[in-house]
Amino acid sequence: MMLFLWGIVTSSKQNKYIEPVIKAPIIQSLDSLNNSLDKLNKVLDERD
């Protein structure tokens, strides 16, 4: 019984560490996209 509980606790701790690793590249991509759109906006504003 204790081994079973230890397995559940261990796997739940591992899942919490996996989540931020998955989110990090998405956040970086969105930041990159946001920066690119800002630069594009500036260029378009200068043309007017």
Side-chain angles (χ1 to χ4, degrees):
M1 184 70 174
M2 291 298 287
L3 183 61
F4 179 69
L5 290 174
W6 177 82
I8 292 174
V9 170
T10 304
S11 66
S12 70
K13 282 184 181 179
Q14 288 174 349
N15 288 341
K16 288 179 185 176
Y17 291 118
I18 290 171
E19 200 171 323
V21 172
I22 293 171
K23 289 182 180 178
I26 294 170
I27 291 171
Q28 288 175 347
S29 295
L30 290 175
D31 283 343
S32 242
L33 177 61
N34 193 27
N35 289 338
S36 296
L37 290 174
D38 284 344
K39 289 178 185 176
L40 179 61
N41 234 354
K42 286 178 186 177
V43 169
L44 291 174
D45 284 345
E46 289 174 3
R47 290 180 62 191
D48 289 342

